[in-house]
Amino acid sequence: MAMYLRRAFSYRSVSLVRTRSSSIVESRNFSNIICNASSILCDSRSHNAAIVPGMDFLRESRRGFAKGKKSRDDSGSGSDNVAVDIGPAVKDNASALMDAAVVALSRDLAKIRTGRASHGMLDHIIVETGGAKIPLNRLALVSVLDSKTLSINPYDPNTLKALQKAIVSSPFGLNPKEDGERLIAAIPPLTQEHIKAMCKVISKSSEDVKQSIRRARQKALDTIKKAGSNFPKDCAKRLEKEIDDLTKKFVKSAEDMCKAKEKEITQG
């Protein structure tokens, strides 16, 4: 019995020793794990401390880029409000349109027959030759022999008949005669009915050209108005006055041309 008791105590002691040793080993392993984790945490903190300046640099760079972009946008938006001097372009365009209207009037007046010979009075007669329709001034040279006589000299003698036919068919009432390789056209005196009719045509041409000039003026004023705040008010008023002066100048030029043509017709 005593021997059984001894064996039981010895087994219990052994088991206690093993249990304590395993607990010591586990506690040591746990301690090692804690130390390793602490060292890793310390390393990561030191690593993050090294990275933070770089991250700060990137943040500052991004902020600087955003500020720079904003400043560029601000400068771009400011440039839209910069005043632009549209004066020269508006004046040049209006002047060109008005001048074109006066030139067209000059061509129309040249077509009107008067009691006096004019070298340009036949320029717009269309001659049909060789299957083509060509203005007379491209086929012949017209010269004034005296105040009542025209000479038509064709560049190609073969077109003489075609030139004669075209002149006879024109509304000028001319009947040119052959004189060798040229044509001679006598200008007949105008009747009172013809004079009155021509004066009406001139008056209508004068009104038409004035309307064209006024349309050019209105177009210029509309351009100034559309400029709005981009064009200073004092500059806009000065430009409007210059456009008005330009309009008066071309209107007077057109009126003078029509008066001269009427005088030429009525006085023969």
Side-chain angles (χ1 to χ4, degrees):
M1 184 66 180
M3 185 172 55
Y4 287 121
L5 289 173
R6 274 194 217 99
R7 287 180 180 177
F9 280 116
S10 62
Y11 287 139
R12 185 178 179 185
S13 298
V14 171
S15 63
L16 287 173
V17 170
R18 287 179 178 175
T19 302
R20 287 179 180 176
S21 62
S22 62
S23 299
I24 292 171
V25 171
E26 290 175 0
S27 65
R28 286 180 180 176
N29 291 337
F30 182 74
S31 298
N32 290 335
I33 292 171
I34 291 174
C35 290
N36 291 334
S38 299
S39 62
I40 291 171
L41 180 63
C42 291
D43 291 339
S44 65
R45 285 179 178 175
S46 62
H47 180 65
N48 290 336
I51 292 175
V52 165
M55 295 298 292
D56 291 340
F57 172 76
L58 290 176
R59 289 195 194 97
E60 293 299 325
S61 299
R62 290 176 63 186
R63 288 174 184 172
F65 175 77
K67 290 179 180 179
K69 183 177 181 182
K70 184 178 180 180
S71 63
R72 286 196 298 272
D73 293 339
D74 292 341
S75 63
S77 62
S79 63
D80 292 338
N81 296 325
V82 175
V84 179
D85 187 9
I86 61 173
V90 171
K91 281 184 64 177
D92 290 345
N93 187 52
S95 179
L97 293 174
M98 294 177 186
D99 184 64
V102 173
V103 171
L105 173 65
S106 177
R107 288 197 301 265
D108 291 339
L109 294 178
K111 298 176 184 178
I112 299 175
R113 184 175 80 83
T114 65
R116 298 176 61 86
S118 170
H119 68 275
M121 65 184 297
L122 305 181
D123 286 353
H124 301 284
I125 293 177
I126 302 300
V127 182
E128 188 170 354
T129 178
K133 294 181 179 181
I134 306 171
L136 185 143
N137 60 353
R138 296 186 182 180
L139 297 173
L141 175 64
V142 179
S143 57
V144 177
L145 298 181
D146 55 52
S147 62
K148 298 292 183 178
T149 311
L150 287 175
S151 173
I152 301 97
N153 299 275
Y155 300 126
D156 182 1
N158 295 325
T159 61
L160 189 66
K161 293 293 184 182
L163 288 167
Q164 186 179 27
K165 181 180 178 181
I167 295 171
V168 170
S169 301
S170 71
F172 293 121
L174 303 179
N175 188 21
K177 304 297 183 180
E178 292 187 27
D179 183 23
E181 293 185 350
R182 68 175 183 173
L183 296 172
I184 301 296
I187 308 299
L190 296 174
T191 64
Q192 288 300 319
E193 291 182 0
H194 189 77
I195 291 173
K196 289 180 181 179
M198 290 300 99
C199 287
K200 287 182 180 179
V201 172
I202 293 171
S203 178
K204 185 179 185 305
S205 297
S206 177
E207 289 303 318
D208 289 344
V209 74
K210 287 178 184 178
Q211 289 181 7
S212 296
I213 292 171
R214 293 187 186 109
R215 282 195 295 269
R217 171 186 175 273
Q218 189 59 48
K219 184 177 180 180
L221 296 181
D222 290 343
T223 302
I224 297 171
K225 186 177 180 180
K226 287 179 181 178
S229 60
N230 291 331
F231 194 54
K233 290 184 178 180
D234 55 341
C235 294
K237 289 182 179 180
R238 184 169 60 252
L239 182 57
E240 287 175 359
K241 185 179 183 304
E242 291 175 355
I243 295 298
D244 286 339
D245 293 341
L246 200 63
T247 302
K248 293 176 183 178
K249 172 188 171 184
F250 279 99
V251 166
K252 186 178 184 304
S253 176
E255 289 177 345
D256 290 343
M257 290 172 62
C258 291
K259 288 179 181 179
K261 192 67 176 180
E262 286 181 358
K263 184 177 179 180
E264 184 181 354
I265 292 173
T266 56
Q267 295 183 1

